[in-house]
Amino acid sequence: MATDSFPQRLPTLHRLGVPDPSNVSSSEVATEWLNAFSAAITQSDTAAVVDLFLEDGFWKDVIALTWDFRTFEGRKDIKKLLDARLVATGLNELRLLQSEPLSKPVLQKVYHDLVWLRFCFGFTTKHGKGTAVAYLVPLPDSKWKAYTLLTCLNSLTDFPQKLGPLRNWETDHGSWEEKRRQETEFSDNDPTVIVIGAGHSGLETAAGLKYIGVPTLVIEKKPRVGDSWRDRYKALCLHTTICSYSQTPYLKFPPTWPVYTPAAKLADWLEAYASFLELDVWTASTITKTSWNDSTKTWSVEVNRGGKDTRVLTVKHLVFATGFGGRPNVPDIPGKASFKGSAVHSSEFKSAADHIGKKAIVVGCCNSAHDIAQDFCSHGVDITMYQRSSTFVISQESLAKMLGVVYNEDVPTELADTYQTSLPWAVVRRLHQRMVPMVAETTDKAILDGLAKVGFKTNLGLHGAGLMSLFLERGGGYYVDTGASKSIIDGNIKIKNGSAIESFTENGLRFADGTELQADIVVFATGYGDPRDFMREVCGDEVASKITRVWGLDEEGQSAGVLKYCGHDGLWFANGGFALLRFHNHHLAMQIKAIEEGILNKADIVI
């Protein structure tokens, strides 16, 4: 915390000057605050609204008031939001949600000195319905004020998702297969949206668009849906649980599904997912040319369908769902031509079974590096991991426990996603700055101490906020321990660090300290480039020059350029893990639908 430049402070009982409010009625406190809030909203009295917040409170919005992902900090900025958007949005019909036990007002003791009251309420706007989550804290005068509030749009009134009672009710007597063929081929019309990439993010984005009535085509360069997972290293397995956190929208994993999913199994699931949800996907296809018409706000897109056919489509939107990074990052190390072994990026590596009896070096120390090093170790390969910088390490059990506070078998996934989204990053960061050191000193102490003894360097993440800070800022830089740490501690995976790689030699790598490691294969688990790399290749430098940063956090703590306007009309990025895309694919779909229906014009929204 000493080096932490962020000014935000948690509303602890000591800071607020109040005792533990354990004897209050959560429902009565929530009702009283919401009545005052509703009255001020109805009267468009923005000064009265902001008076219901702490001075350093937050209002986080997911396309409800702003058609954007925004966080407003402090009364001044919250009032600025309301003065600009309250009347235009038509926020109305606020009602406490307490019919379901897990959404009822509840007093939560987050830490011994941090207590807040969480409750949910529904609302309507001129164009849709939404859910809000408020966190109230007590003051010395027995009043409660909002520390943070989320407003999240769930649906468009005139354009609901075609789910449940709104799904297709027509009987079909033999025409379904031909109808699906024509739909997938877009024989008589062009799609409105092209999604590039048929991984989980591309498919979930396409599903969100399809079921809100936006014709969408997914372009996948590989032969089969799921190959982006199927073609990775054989030992790959998800490090997060499927207990809500890694579920897919519209179609959930069955209750028999393993808690941690092997990549090959996930690949087959995604292929089935695309089929069962009737998503329109062209596999073995690549985009060879695009051009943007700024007058008509359309893209002309040339698609090569595996050399068999070329189609030119006119579409309104391109969505890049090509993963967290761009091209593989491979360090430029002198002497590679003289190396007698093989050197590959982790994206090209398949299995340690192909290297039994040999020596291997893995360059890098995050998830993929550990997985591959453990694969070598399990096959009896002499393996050394080269650590370039310190790594945040957390046990699989500790991560599951942390996520399990929200994501578990008892909490409906949609509600868990809402709660997970409800707090601004500034607040989450402060919470994690307390939690991460506690985990490191208790649950994971034996692992971390063991790693330190053998020279493996660890850290607590950016600003001491652990995995989430690294994921949101860098998309990596951590290891969720699934067993490799024990192999390192036991000496079965050797560690080399503290000296830069100087060059390849004929038989391995030479380091600046004069040492040399022999290897028959060197695997560079060194991450990927800028997420905009693929977009630049497809759209060209002129378009790319207009795009903001993609991934990482902006000044408000929102993911930069992802699932929202990124600097160029008709161009979007759908990057993120399962939980992020599962929840927010629909928010991207609603933005695109609102643009197509004339509801949303970004130029009209000035805050």
Side-chain angles (χ1 to χ4, degrees):
M1 293 283 286
T3 59
D4 188 352
S5 61
F6 299 102
Q8 296 88 359
R9 296 182 298 159
L10 291 172
T12 61
L13 298 175
H14 178 266
R15 180 189 157 203
L16 297 172
V18 295
D20 190 335
S22 56
N23 296 323
V24 301
S25 166
S26 299
S27 182
E28 289 179 8
V29 170
T31 299
E32 181 179 350
W33 187 91
L34 184 58
N35 286 342
F37 182 77
S38 181
I41 292 290
T42 301
Q43 297 165 16
S44 298
D45 188 345
T46 59
V49 173
V50 298
D51 189 54
L52 294 168
F53 285 76
L54 290 184
E55 285 285 353
D56 58 348
F58 296 85
W59 188 316
K60 183 177 181 181
D61 185 63
V62 177
I63 77 169
L65 278 74
T66 62
W67 287 110
D68 202 347
F69 295 71
R70 298 289 305 274
T71 298
F72 299 87
E73 180 179 354
R75 287 180 175 177
K76 180 180 178 181
D77 282 354
I78 292 173
K79 190 172 189 305
K80 186 178 178 182
L81 160 69
L82 295 173
D83 286 342
R85 297 297 301 161
L86 181 57
V87 174
T89 301
L91 190 63
N92 196 14
E93 297 181 24
L94 281 60
R95 62 206 179 280
L96 190 65
L97 299 178
Q98 50 183 345
S99 59
E100 298 295 330
L102 293 173
S103 61
K104 286 183 176 180
V106 59
L107 193 68
Q108 296 183 312
K109 193 163 188 174
V110 186
Y111 293 112
H112 73 279
D113 62 343
L114 179 62
V115 180
W116 55 40
L117 193 153
R118 184 191 70 193
F119 68 95
C120 303
F121 64 90
F123 62 86
T124 64
T125 69
K126 289 181 179 178
H127 300 297
K129 297 179 180 180
T131 298
V133 182
Y135 293 82
L136 309 184
V137 293
L139 297 180
D141 59 3
S142 298
K143 296 290 185 182
W144 290 71
K145 293 200 173 184
Y147 175 50
T148 181
L149 173 68
L150 167 76
T151 44
C152 179
L153 193 67
N154 297 336
S155 62
L156 297 177
T157 303
D158 294 335
F159 309 100
Q161 294 188 86
K162 305 301 183 185
L163 309 177
L166 298 179
R167 72 182 102 184
N168 182 10
W169 281 69
E170 296 179 3
T171 56
D172 185 288
H173 298 288
S175 62
W176 176 78
E177 288 181 312
E178 177 59 22
K179 182 180 178 181
R180 281 295 301 135
R181 187 193 68 79
Q182 292 183 15
E183 287 175 350
T184 301
E185 288 297 313
F186 286 92
S187 304
D188 301 321
N189 62 301
D190 288 350
T192 302
V193 179
I194 286 180
V195 175
I196 303 167
H200 78 271
S201 56
L203 297 178
E204 292 174 15
T205 298
L209 288 161
K210 178 184 179 72
Y211 291 110
I212 203 173
V214 180
T216 301
L217 172 64
V218 181
I219 302 294
E220 170 56 49
K221 66 181 179 181
K222 291 181 177 289
R224 294 170 61 189
V225 170
D227 277 350
S228 57
W229 289 91
R230 202 175 279 115
D231 292 345
R232 296 290 304 280
Y233 53 91
K234 192 174 181 179
L236 178 59
C237 184
L238 291 188
H239 290 203
T240 53
T241 70
I242 60 95
C243 299
S244 294
Y245 191 79
S246 294
Q247 285 282 1
T248 47
Y250 308 107
L251 187 65
K252 291 187 176 182
F253 297 120
T256 57
W257 200 264
V259 174
Y260 297 100
T261 308
K265 186 175 180 68
L266 179 61
D268 289 347
W269 173 265
L270 293 177
E271 192 169 42
Y273 183 87
S275 176
F276 290 148
L277 293 185
E278 299 187 359
L279 305 181
D280 300 321
V281 184
W282 290 358
T283 55
S285 298
T286 55
I287 295 177
T288 52
K289 185 188 300 183
T290 67
S291 62
W292 170 253
N293 187 322
D294 199 47
S295 298
T296 60
K297 302 295 182 184
T298 57
W299 295 94
S300 176
V301 182
E302 182 179 282
V303 182
N304 183 325
R305 303 190 65 184
K308 298 177 182 179
D309 183 27
T310 299
R311 287 278 299 276
V312 177
L313 304 170
T314 300
V315 304
K316 301 292 287 295
H317 304 269
L318 293 180
V319 180
F320 284 84
T322 49
F324 284 113
R327 294 298 178 191
N329 273 335
V330 179
D332 185 12
I333 299 173
K336 185 177 179 181
S338 65
F339 180 49
K340 293 180 179 180
S342 61
V344 298
H345 187 265
S346 59
S347 59
E348 304 169 281
F349 180 77
K350 299 304 177 187
S351 174
D354 301 327
H355 306 279
I356 293 174
K358 297 181 180 180
K359 293 184 177 182
I361 298 173
V362 173
V363 178
C365 272
C366 298
N367 273 343
S368 293
H370 279 80
D371 284 351
I372 293 170
Q374 183 61 42
D375 189 26
F376 279 125
C377 180
S378 299
H379 283 84
V381 175
D382 183 329
I383 172 63
T384 300
M385 180 184 287
Y386 172 63
Q387 184 181 33
R388 299 181 296 170
S389 58
S390 62
T391 309
F392 175 72
V393 177
I394 184 171
S395 68
Q396 199 171 39
E397 294 76 17
S398 292
L399 179 60
K401 186 176 180 180
M402 290 170 64
L403 292 175
V405 173
V406 174
Y407 289 104
N408 56 66
E409 302 284 8
D410 298 324
V411 181
T413 303
E414 186 174 348
L415 182 60
D417 285 339
T418 302
Y419 286 152
Q420 178 75 359
T421 303
S422 62
L423 291 173
W425 169 241
V427 178
V428 175
R429 181 183 62 232
R430 284 295 186 223
L431 294 175
H432 283 216
Q433 284 172 326
R434 285 190 171 199
M435 186 187 313
V436 168
M438 288 171 54
V439 172
E441 288 298 319
T442 54
T443 313
D444 289 350
K445 181 174 174 55
I447 293 173
L448 297 176
D449 286 352
L451 291 172
K453 287 179 181 178
V454 297
F456 187 93
K457 298 177 181 179
T458 64
N459 61 55
L460 295 179
L462 295 174
H463 307 293
L467 183 151
M468 193 59 69
S469 64
L470 290 161
F471 172 71
L472 292 174
E473 284 282 14
R474 301 178 183 174
Y478 51 84
Y479 172 51
V480 180
D481 181 24
T482 58
S485 289
K486 185 178 187 305
S487 296
I488 293 171
I489 293 168
D490 292 344
N492 296 320
I493 297 175
K494 291 169 284 188
I495 296 298
K496 170 69 177 178
N497 55 26
S499 182
I501 297 174
E502 190 172 79
S503 68
F504 278 99
T505 66
E506 285 189 0
N507 300 310
L509 292 175
R510 179 183 294 116
F511 296 85
D513 61 5
T515 61
E516 182 177 337
L517 288 177
Q518 293 191 346
D520 300 291
I521 178 171
V522 177
V523 181
F524 289 96
T526 44
Y528 296 82
D530 194 301
R532 294 169 291 187
D533 288 349
F534 294 112
M535 178 275 302
R536 184 179 296 274
E537 292 176 12
V538 171
C539 299
D541 291 338
E542 183 179 350
V543 170
S545 68
K546 299 178 182 179
I547 304 303
T548 61
R549 180 167 60 120
V550 175
W551 203 249
L553 296 174
D554 64 20
E555 63 277 4
E556 294 179 357
Q558 302 282 2
S559 293
V562 177
L563 301 164
K564 61 182 183 178
Y565 181 71
C566 66
H568 192 289
D569 291 339
L571 199 154
W572 311 81
F573 290 87
N575 302 32
F578 281 87
L580 186 75
L581 263 297
R582 177 184 59 245
F583 189 52
H584 290 312
N585 77 83
H586 184 49
H587 299 125
L588 172 57
M590 283 193 286
Q591 290 175 79
I592 290 176
K593 183 66 172 178
I595 290 170
E596 291 307 300
E597 298 297 338
I599 296 172
L600 170 58
N601 181 359
K602 292 295 293 185
D604 294 339
I605 301 175
V606 179
I607 302 174

